[in-house]
Amino acid sequence: MIPFAVRRVGGLLVTLLLIATVSFFLLRLAPGGPFDADREVDAAVRAAQEARYRLDRSLPAQYAGWLADLLRGDLGPSSCYPGLTVNEVLAAAIPPSFLLGGLALGIALVLGVLAGALAGRHPGGLADRAVSMFALLFISIPSFVLGAALLLLFSLHLRWFPAGLLEGAASLVLPVLTLGLPMAAVIARLARSGLAETMGEDWIRTARSKGISETRVVLVHGLRTALLPVVSFLGPAAAGVLTGSVVVERIFALPGLGTHFVNSALNRDYSLVMGTVLVYSALLVTLNFLSDLALAALDPRARTR
Amino acid sequence: MRGAASILGGGMLLLMGAAAVLAPLLATHDFAAQDLSAQYLPPGSSGHLLGTDLEGRDLLSRLLHGSRVSLLVALLATLVSVVIGVAFGLVSGYAGGRVDAWMMRMVDVLYALPFLFLVILVMTLFLGPRAGPGGRVAALLIVLGAVQWLTMARIVRGQVLSLRSRDFVLAARALGAGPVRILLRHILPNLSGIIAAYATLTVPRVILQEAFLSFLGLGVPEPYPSWGRLAAEGVRGITAVETHWWLVTFPSVAITLALLGFQLLGDGFVRCAGDRGGARGSSRGRRPAGRPRTGA
Amino acid sequence: MTGVAEARIATALFEGLTRLDPETLLPGPAAAERFAVSPDGLSVTFHLRPDGRWSDGSPVTAEDFRWSFLRVLDPRTASPYAGLLFGVRGARDRQRKRTDENSVGIEAPDALTLVVRLERPVPYFASLAAFATLLPVNRSAVERHGDRWTRPGHIVTNGPFVLEEWSFYRHLVLRRSPSYHGRDVAGAERIRLHPVPDPNTQFNLYETGAADIVFSVPSPILHRLRDRPDFRTGPRFATAFLRVNITRPSLASAAVRRALSLAIDRETLCSRILRGGERPAYSLVPPGVAGYDPPAGRTFEPAAAAELLASAGHPGGRGLPALGLLFPDNPEYAAAATVLQHDLRERLGVDIRLDPREWKVSLAAQRALDYDLCLAQWIGDYPDPTTFLDCFAAGSGNNRTGFASAAYDTLLERAATPEPGEPPEAWIRRRFGLLAEAEALLVGDEAPVIPLWHPTTRFLVAPAVQGFAANALGLVSFVDLRAGERR
């Protein structure tokens, strides 16, 4: 078991290194550089700026320098936020993103699993149809439309929640819903189909015939297997939602990672792009890994083998 | 009942497809024609069934032409993703071992690359200053297809892994069939259901991605409308003093209906895939094995 | 520090030698209580006010300014605006060749006197001294904290405010500086600033009472706000224009470029599409420089335009290829571009291909002259025509059109120096005359630049807020702001 885990972690690190390397060179292919601006900068100033960000060296030398810094935990200075390091930008942006994403994930799981259980118990029933329609609706609305609609109704008209900024618990409600509802819809569908399928399996029928209560059958036996597709969906989805959404952050003026994903790309802030890519890919491979472990633990067939 | 739902979905899509094909005939106005005496007319006023925008352009006509762009982009990008994803998944799953591990690692790497950069890169490397709208749509297709095939590859590979040790595959191999023949003749037909199911679910994703790119100003260019671009423009009009509600509502409804149509149809395919898997080959074929996995 | 938003905060924290009057843009006293230009125009002497204090209590001295200006010239500072000081004697060499700092014509003969010696007269130097790049910085804070000298607790300021709190991308809190000489003026004790990138969100926050002032207003609803008392707008010292790439064979003819300029209905563009009080632009230099009359330029004459194009060999646009119109993809430019496309096709039969690009890509294309037509905007740094006209000198990196005219460059050159014995007032009059002649060449005859509109500044200021003032450079004075009753 231990050597297996070590091998897996080693594999994850190799994947991360590959992602970082490909991204590093890919970035330089896009036209324009960090110091191109509406007004031309004096040549001497430009040279000084490039030297500060090591852009005056050859590309392999830049890469080697970046890697060496990375090993020391230093992601370098940000060029689109002068005076700040990438470490500082990420340190400021990660907590609000994790807070929002974590809440959205929690709400999506609770709502989605409950709705899915409700619908999947009796496939074809009224609850199933209602849940399916709502789920389809929330999957089908672009997030910027959903966000704007929630904003219009609950903030501008009803004045229940603030229209933006991250100040106090009330300001979290609309962004969390915008992020969480579409995800809840996907989870509800996955849980529903998983449950509907599981409820027809032999061993569930056996459990029922043994006189175990219906609730216990659904919650303990059925749901456990039914959640397998949800768990495999959660890996990449959680990585996406925890690293922020530029749409939600822009609509509600929130200081999260999604904004920096876009700002750094649009401003050619190479070190910040690399920082955000590292955060995202590290989360992605770790969460995928965890979801694989969870799958193995949850799947009764996997255990009997 | 589920059958009825897929028929409903298919019907909605057929209607939309017809509207897209017949857009030049159905549109009441030139989609790019500006009329500065008819700015921001609400729906129903003077011949504009769905109202007009800032430049006085007819929303209905723009939506109809937008359906051509959106549906075309979505279908072609999906096709691209299916071709690449299926081929990649088949090879990776069948080869197994080290080859499979590295191919899946490549998928992981591509999955984590900054998507926006890919968009910017493709949009600039492929387009000169006088690129027409056709070139731009093509570039958009490449980008969207390039991202979507990854999940398809994972799903197909997962299925192949579970199928390749089945009796009928082993039997074919024992009879001397080569890997290409086994993949195309014996494995691929078993996957057609799940591939069709996932492909119908890819179309909506592409439509949403295009809408997201339009929200950031990187989508289909002016004056060509796409649903995503129309909705993104409409959202800018939602404020506390004034809402040109029709500019955001109708494009969103169009997107939502199309997505609903594809989802309903996709559900139907998923169900069929389940049935067919059970009918063909083995007793344990019903549970799709296609969950994304990382590494080997 | 490059953006207007940063400059607003900087001018609240720091006080430059001069300050521009919000209305006239003429330089007035600030950290310097008076200033004088020598009769030959070659030196400017600033007399600092004796009660100037840094927020750590130490006096603001002429040496502080000298050190700050030299820091701007230091390539290691990498200030993008270092070029503003190149009128100072020896400044260019100091920056390019690292010559001795004493060779730079900035002297502090005593604690309260700063003398700036110029290569040749810069009649607007006192206005430059108000620019954000030339604000003083505190030497000991910079030397002690390096890159982190702007953090709360490190930063030492000489302006009306100190930085009390700062949270990246969340908020800034400015608090009145107890050591500022004007601290007795009535005004808000604290000002809380939030960076909000999206104008729609800004507006929503304002309308729901979460903000008292917003610095931009979403353009789709401008017409609804125009008559509200809390909507403040004013001209902006800026111009949006079309760059024409004259290295393209189809655009090499000045007659073709003039025809394009004559065919654009700027009035309608401003009143029906932009709708934020923008003024149609027929000259590159916006109105508002005292004493300078911009040339008339090309107005909207569609018949003359079609005739001119025909006489250039392209009747009804025949023989001209489709022209690409490059623009950074934002809603305002996109709307304007569709109108230009429409105008040029209707009036001239010229086919325009819209080419919206991501911002940096559009910049790269402009620098490489890889475009046909391009929507661009230039914001003046200081109230003088040269902040616009210098861009189009042959060697300028901001030219980006391929335009190189010896006649134009000569006019700028002749305007730059007084004739021997010429009295200052006479020179300034003659100078403005020559600059207007150069501009007439640029926007009238040669037309590598087709002016489109002059933008506006737009603010929403809650009725309870008093003392709000903004100038055409977009700067807002926070010092007099007072909150009355909240709505």
Side-chain angles (χ1 to χ4, degrees):
Chain A
M1 189 64 201
I2 303 279
F4 167 73
V6 169
R7 262 212 345 256
R8 277 300 300 259
V9 171
L12 297 188
L13 288 178
V14 172
T15 308
L16 276 181
L17 184 67
L18 275 174
I19 292 171
T21 309
V22 174
S23 304
F24 190 94
F25 291 98
L26 184 76
L27 298 186
R28 308 311 173 93
L29 290 176
F35 309 114
D36 285 342
D38 286 327
R39 47 197 77 208
E40 193 70 17
V41 171
D42 183 80
V45 172
R46 201 181 174 93
Q49 285 174 328
E50 289 181 344
R52 174 178 294 185
Y53 295 91
R54 277 200 284 232
L55 298 175
D56 52 344
R57 307 193 194 164
S58 73
L59 207 49
Q62 291 179 39
Y63 176 67
W66 181 81
L67 263 189
D69 284 352
L70 180 67
L71 290 179
R72 288 186 283 109
D74 176 9
L75 291 164
S78 158
S79 61
C80 73
Y81 306 117
L84 284 165
T85 64
V86 173
N87 294 46
E88 286 169 325
V89 173
L90 295 179
I94 286 177
S97 277
F98 276 23
L99 177 66
L100 275 172
L103 286 173
L105 204 59
I107 282 187
L109 268 175
V110 171
L111 272 181
V113 171
L114 280 181
L118 202 65
R121 268 186 60 188
H122 299 294
L126 189 67
D128 186 21
R129 278 188 247 174
V131 166
S132 291
M133 280 325 279
F134 267 103
L136 279 183
L137 193 68
F138 278 111
I139 292 177
S140 304
I141 299 178
S143 59
F144 58 86
V145 175
L146 180 61
L150 291 176
L151 180 85
L152 186 65
L153 182 61
F154 293 109
S155 176
L156 302 185
H157 281 302
L158 296 173
R159 301 281 168 114
W160 289 357
F161 302 109
L165 301 179
L166 190 58
E167 296 193 324
S171 68
L172 290 169
V173 176
L174 296 182
V176 164
L177 286 180
T178 310
L179 276 175
L181 285 178
M183 214 171 154
V186 176
I187 293 178
R189 280 167 55 94
L190 291 172
R192 180 224 160 264
S193 60
L195 190 63
E197 200 177 311
T198 318
M199 295 306 276
E201 300 253 4
D202 304 339
W203 52 279
I204 289 281
R205 273 187 230 128
T206 317
R208 268 185 178 150
S209 66
K210 278 186 190 162
I212 298 172
S213 80
E214 182 70 14
T215 323
R216 201 177 147 77
V217 169
V218 170
L219 288 185
V220 178
H221 298 277
L223 215 47
R224 180 169 186 157
T225 329
L227 284 186
L228 291 177
V230 174
V231 172
S232 53
F233 160 78
L234 274 181
V241 78
L242 289 174
T243 46
S245 144
V246 61
V247 173
V248 170
E249 285 167 19
R250 192 184 284 190
I251 293 178
F252 296 103
L254 304 174
L257 270 174
T259 306
H260 304 310
F261 265 105
V262 174
N263 276 357
S264 60
L266 297 186
N267 287 298
R268 308 290 189 268
D269 185 340
Y270 301 130
S271 42
L272 187 52
V273 177
M274 290 308 296
T276 55
V277 167
L278 275 185
V279 170
Y280 174 65
S281 50
L283 265 177
L284 185 75
V285 297
T286 316
L287 289 172
N288 273 344
F289 176 53
L290 290 180
S291 103
D292 280 357
L293 287 185
L295 281 177
L298 275 175
D299 191 340
R301 280 164 296 195
R303 271 185 306 171
T304 52
R305 265 173 222 158
Chain B
M1 134 75 206
R2 308 285 298 173
S6 0
I7 292 173
L8 177 71
M12 282 162 60
L13 293 178
L14 271 182
L15 271 179
M16 280 189 215
V21 171
L22 300 176
L25 299 176
L26 294 176
T28 49
H29 295 73
D30 175 356
F31 71 90
Q34 302 176 0
D35 179 2
L36 296 187
S37 65
Q39 294 178 293
Y40 286 137
L41 291 182
S45 30
S46 61
H48 297 287
L49 199 58
L50 299 185
T52 61
D53 67 2
L54 168 70
E55 284 100 346
R57 298 178 294 195
D58 181 62
L59 183 60
L60 175 66
S61 310
R62 288 180 70 70
L63 266 182
L64 283 168
H65 280 272
S67 67
R68 303 185 119 190
V69 177
S70 292
L71 292 177
L72 193 74
V73 166
L75 289 174
L76 289 178
T78 303
L79 189 70
V80 171
S81 81
V82 168
V83 171
I84 306 178
V86 169
F88 199 92
L90 282 176
V91 172
S92 175
Y94 193 77
R98 226 162 242 277
V99 176
D100 176 44
W102 278 101
M103 284 178 84
M104 281 299 114
R105 178 161 288 154
M106 190 181 142
V107 168
D108 286 343
V109 169
L110 291 176
Y111 199 83
L113 288 184
F115 173 62
L116 269 184
F117 256 93
L118 287 180
V119 176
I120 294 168
L121 264 179
V122 173
M123 291 303 240
T124 41
L125 295 185
F126 287 79
L127 298 177
R130 285 178 217 172
R136 274 170 191 279
V137 172
L140 207 60
L141 281 177
I142 295 175
V143 171
L144 295 174
V147 177
Q148 292 299 339
W149 70 264
L150 301 170
T151 317
M152 178 65 91
R154 276 186 172 157
I155 289 178
V156 170
R157 172 227 174 223
Q159 294 280 354
V160 174
L161 274 183
S162 82
L163 286 177
R164 66 175 187 159
S165 51
R166 292 285 173 75
D167 302 339
F168 67 95
V169 175
L170 297 178
R173 198 179 291 159
L175 290 174
V180 176
R181 190 179 161 81
I182 288 177
L183 280 176
L184 295 183
R185 276 295 176 82
H186 298 274
I187 292 185
L188 192 57
N190 270 296
L191 299 180
S192 53
I194 191 89
I195 292 172
Y198 188 71
T200 41
L201 300 179
T202 304
V203 178
R205 281 160 177 271
V206 175
I207 292 181
L208 287 181
Q209 286 272 22
E210 194 271 328
F212 169 68
L213 286 181
S214 291
F215 180 80
L216 293 180
L218 294 168
V220 175
E222 283 277 357
Y224 291 87
S226 74
W227 288 343
R229 176 137 204 154
L230 290 173
E233 278 169 12
V235 161
R236 293 203 183 93
I238 294 189
T239 59
V241 289
E242 185 177 61
T243 309
H244 301 297
W245 59 269
W246 58 95
L247 291 179
V248 60
T249 307
F250 294 123
S252 307
V253 166
I255 294 180
T256 307
L257 284 181
L259 266 54
L260 268 175
F262 280 110
Q263 304 267 6
L264 291 174
L265 197 66
D267 284 357
F269 276 122
V270 171
R271 206 168 36 86
C272 287
D275 294 348
R276 228 179 347 147
R280 235 196 224 237
S282 77
S283 61
R284 269 259 179 231
R286 289 188 54 203
R287 202 177 147 270
R291 53 171 201 248
R293 269 178 173 277
T294 48
Chain C
M1 180 168 52
T2 45
V4 175
E6 288 90 335
R8 276 185 204 124
I9 296 166
T11 47
L13 293 174
F14 298 97
E15 186 174 61
L17 289 167
T18 59
R19 179 183 301 125
L20 301 182
D21 183 281
E23 293 295 321
T24 62
L25 289 183
L26 291 172
E33 57 185 1
R34 64 202 156 82
F35 54 86
V37 183
S38 65
D40 61 2
L42 285 173
S43 74
V44 187
T45 306
F46 296 91
H47 300 279
L48 269 58
R49 39 185 317 144
D51 55 352
R53 290 286 177 279
W54 291 99
S55 54
D56 65 0
S58 57
V60 176
T61 63
E63 178 56 31
D64 287 327
F65 279 95
R66 191 180 97 97
W67 188 82
S68 302
F69 289 3
L70 288 171
R71 177 174 170 270
V72 169
L73 287 175
D74 186 337
R76 279 170 302 182
T77 311
S79 168
Y81 285 90
L84 288 180
L85 279 174
F86 282 179
V88 175
R89 189 180 297 168
R92 195 185 297 256
D93 284 348
R94 164 75 183 154
Q95 198 240 17
R96 299 247 164 102
K97 301 181 196 151
R98 305 282 192 102
T99 49
D100 183 76
E101 67 171 55
N102 292 320
S103 65
V104 181
I106 303 172
E107 294 154 25
D110 65 62
L112 296 179
T113 310
L114 184 79
V115 181
V116 177
R117 303 198 186 280
L118 304 166
E119 297 271 356
R120 53 193 190 188
V122 180
Y124 50 88
F125 191 85
S127 303
L128 274 187
F131 191 74
T133 303
L134 300 192
L135 295 173
V137 295
N138 185 278
R139 179 174 187 170
S140 63
V142 173
E143 287 181 341
R144 193 171 319 146
H145 302 293
D147 273 353
R148 285 155 194 276
W149 70 274
T150 56
R151 307 293 167 90
H154 295 174
I155 190 168
V156 177
T157 67
N158 76 327
F161 291 93
V162 291
L163 184 61
E164 187 172 68
E165 272 178 51
W166 170 76
S167 172
F168 174 61
Y169 241 80
R170 295 180 75 162
H171 65 266
L172 284 162
V173 178
L174 305 179
R175 187 171 52 82
R176 289 221 153 224
S177 167
S179 58
Y180 181 59
H181 56 77
R183 62 188 169 274
D184 298 332
V185 177
E189 179 64 20
R190 281 187 174 72
I191 293 177
R192 204 176 164 80
L193 296 155
H194 293 279
V196 177
D198 189 275
N200 254 348
T201 311
Q202 287 188 25
F203 180 68
N204 293 337
L205 289 170
Y206 175 83
E207 286 293 291
T208 52
D212 292 316
I213 301 174
V214 290
F215 294 107
S216 67
V217 175
S219 21
I221 51 163
L222 279 171
H223 64 291
R224 291 291 291 262
L225 302 176
R226 251 188 336 227
D227 300 327
R228 278 179 24 171
D230 57 342
F231 180 61
R232 311 284 184 88
T233 181
R236 196 177 163 109
F237 195 57
T239 305
F241 59 95
L242 268 185
R243 282 183 209 280
V244 185
N245 181 359
I246 71 167
T247 64
R248 292 277 197 252
S250 48
L251 294 167
S253 145
V256 171
R257 303 194 296 264
R258 282 203 296 273
L260 296 181
S261 182
L262 285 166
I264 296 169
D265 184 359
R266 299 165 178 85
E267 294 279 352
T268 308
L269 178 66
C270 290
S271 64
R272 306 304 290 268
I273 297 297
L274 302 170
R275 309 200 300 177
E278 289 82 358
R279 293 150 304 158
Y282 301 101
S283 62
L284 181 65
V285 180
V289 179
Y292 179 74
D293 285 319
R298 300 278 160 189
T299 49
F300 177 50
E301 295 167 44
E307 234 170 79
L308 190 60
L309 195 66
S311 71
H314 304 289
R318 247 171 288 145
L320 275 181
L323 299 173
L325 172 53
L326 177 77
F327 58 95
D329 201 355
N330 66 53
E332 188 183 42
Y333 279 176
T338 56
V339 170
L340 292 178
Q341 180 186 40
H342 185 260
D343 270 3
L344 295 177
R345 186 178 294 150
E346 297 294 305
R347 324 268 182 223
L348 296 180
V350 174
D351 203 18
I352 300 289
R353 291 256 173 90
L354 299 185
D355 188 22
R357 291 292 172 131
E358 188 255 343
W359 178 56
K360 289 276 183 177
V361 176
S362 82
L363 290 175
Q366 286 184 53
R367 294 186 64 191
L369 287 178
D370 184 17
Y371 69 94
D372 300 332
L373 302 169
C374 170
L375 264 176
Q377 180 168 262
W378 190 259
I379 303 171
D381 293 326
Y382 49 90
D384 188 82
T386 51
T387 188
F388 285 87
L389 299 180
D390 282 350
C391 298
F392 296 94
S396 164
N398 292 315
N399 186 315
R400 300 176 185 179
T401 59
F403 175 69
S405 156
Y408 182 79
D409 294 355
T410 312
L411 283 167
L412 290 189
E413 190 58 31
R414 277 173 56 207
T417 5
E419 273 158 19
E422 189 174 31
E425 302 80 36
W427 170 55
I428 285 170
R429 249 193 330 269
R430 187 176 62 87
R431 175 174 180 272
F432 278 160
L434 288 167
L435 292 178
E437 230 179 283
E439 192 182 356
L441 190 76
L442 187 72
V443 300
D445 302 332
E446 291 291 336
V449 169
I450 300 179
L452 296 173
W453 72 86
H454 298 301
T456 50
T457 54
R458 303 139 182 186
F459 307 94
L460 284 165
V461 183
V465 174
Q466 294 169 342
F468 179 86
N471 73 17
L473 299 174
L475 295 185
V476 172
S477 157
F478 291 136
V479 65
D480 300 321
L481 285 179
R482 284 188 304 286
E485 296 278 300
R486 279 291 279 264
R487 286 172 303 164

